[in-house]
Structure formats: structure tokens, C-alpha cells
Amino acid sequence: MNYAIKAIIPIIILFIVVYGMFKNVKVYECFVEGAKDGISICVKIFPYLLAMIIAVTVFRESKAMDYFIALVKPIVRLVGLPPELVPLAIVKPLSGSGAMGIFAETLKKYGPDSYIGLVASIMMGSTETIFYTITVYYGSIGIKKIRHTLWAAALADITAIIMAITLAKFI
């Protein structure tokens, strides 16, 4: 079984090459053109990604997040969100890797089967790195005005957090 799992990707690649050959597609040339397009997209979105990484790092290292957490703790208790998960709720829209670090620390401290661990797990699976996603997708095609995307994505994340709180109570 282990060999079959390791062979899936090469089998898919082989299938694509053979299928392309049967359809008289120049597979190698198409691959090279796709790679060229990929590199040009990377060059286009690099400044946006760099700005996002710097902004997240400055926010975390300046201790601004700690002040914000202290400010919103009374509000999140009313909603039912454990105050221990405020850092996860704040960092997840900004940075997936930062949120993963907070998530790992949370599971280590409270355990995966605790209420806090369950809410954190559901939040990690149902929320999105809004700012990263908007930066990458809009930056790659040159859109500077995001219009209603940010508000819709933030509302979706808030809904996901509320649902995480609700679902964890039933598990």
C-alpha cells in the first residue's frame, strides 16, 4: 500500500504526458510555457507578499497584538470564544504559518480533546488567511482596489469562528 501511495504523483504525471501525446499536444513546450508564466506571476506578486510578511512580523513583534488581545478579551467572553484563542483568531487571517504555530502551542497547552483544543481545531479548518489570499490573487492580476472582498471574507471568517464555538459545544 505504501508503494501505491508514493506512486500516485508519478502515475498522474505519466497519464498527463501520455494523454497529451495521444491528443498531439507538444507536452514539453506547454510545460515550459507554463513555467515561464509561473515565474512571471511570482515576480509580479513578490512585492505584495513581502509587504504582507513584513506587516505581520511588525504587528507581532511590536506587541500590538498583545494590547489588542487585552482590549477585546471582555467582548470575546460575551460571544463564547475562549480568550486563549484570541491570538489564533487574529493571526489566522494574516498568516497561515503564524496561526499554525499558535495552534500547535494551544494544543500542547490545553490538549486536542479539550474545549479550547476543539474550537481551535475547527477554527483552523474553517477559516482562511484572508489577507494573504487577497494579496496573492489580486496582486497576481494587478487589482489594487479589493472592493467588497475583504468585508465578505471577514464576515465568512467571523461566521466560521461562531460556528466553531457552537460545534465544539456539541462534540
Side-chain angles (χ1 to χ4, degrees):
M1 185 64 174
N2 194 19
Y3 293 118
I5 292 172
K6 289 181 179 179
I8 288 175
I9 299 296
I11 289 170
I12 291 172
I13 292 171
L14 182 66
F15 174 76
I16 290 170
V17 170
V18 171
Y19 182 77
M21 289 170 52
F22 278 122
K23 293 290 186 175
N24 292 325
V25 174
K26 296 180 179 178
V27 178
Y28 183 73
E29 287 82 5
C30 289
F31 173 78
V32 170
E33 283 300 314
K36 283 181 190 176
D37 291 344
I39 289 174
S40 68
I41 288 173
C42 287
V43 169
K44 276 187 197 175
I45 66 171
F46 178 75
Y48 300 100
L49 289 175
L50 182 61
M52 194 68 209
I53 290 168
I54 290 171
V56 169
T57 304
V58 167
F59 184 67
R60 290 180 73 191
E61 296 299 321
S62 70
K63 305 296 182 198
M65 183 169 35
D66 295 337
Y67 294 121
F68 183 74
I69 291 167
L71 181 70
V72 299
K73 271 189 182 181
I75 298 168
V76 297
R77 284 190 178 148
L78 289 173
V79 177
L81 180 67
E84 297 84 3
L85 295 180
V86 171
L88 180 62
I90 292 171
V91 172
K92 179 65 173 171
L94 300 171
S95 167
S97 59
M100 188 59 75
I102 293 170
F103 175 64
E105 289 173 18
T106 302
L107 291 185
K108 248 190 245 180
K109 187 172 184 178
Y110 300 101
D113 293 328
S114 67
Y115 176 71
I116 292 173
L118 289 172
V119 174
S121 298
I122 296 169
M123 283 173 59
M124 281 299 291
S126 61
T127 57
E128 179 59 59
T129 53
I130 298 169
F131 295 102
Y132 175 81
T133 306
I134 289 172
T135 300
V136 170
Y137 291 133
Y138 282 1
S140 68
I141 56 175
I143 295 176
K144 303 232 186 279
K145 295 183 180 181
I146 58 175
R147 296 184 50 104
H148 304 294
T149 306
L150 178 60
W151 297 111
L155 183 62
D157 263 12
I158 291 168
T159 303
I161 291 169
I162 292 169
M163 288 306 299
I165 296 165
T166 305
L167 288 173
K169 289 179 182 176
F170 292 114
I171 296 177

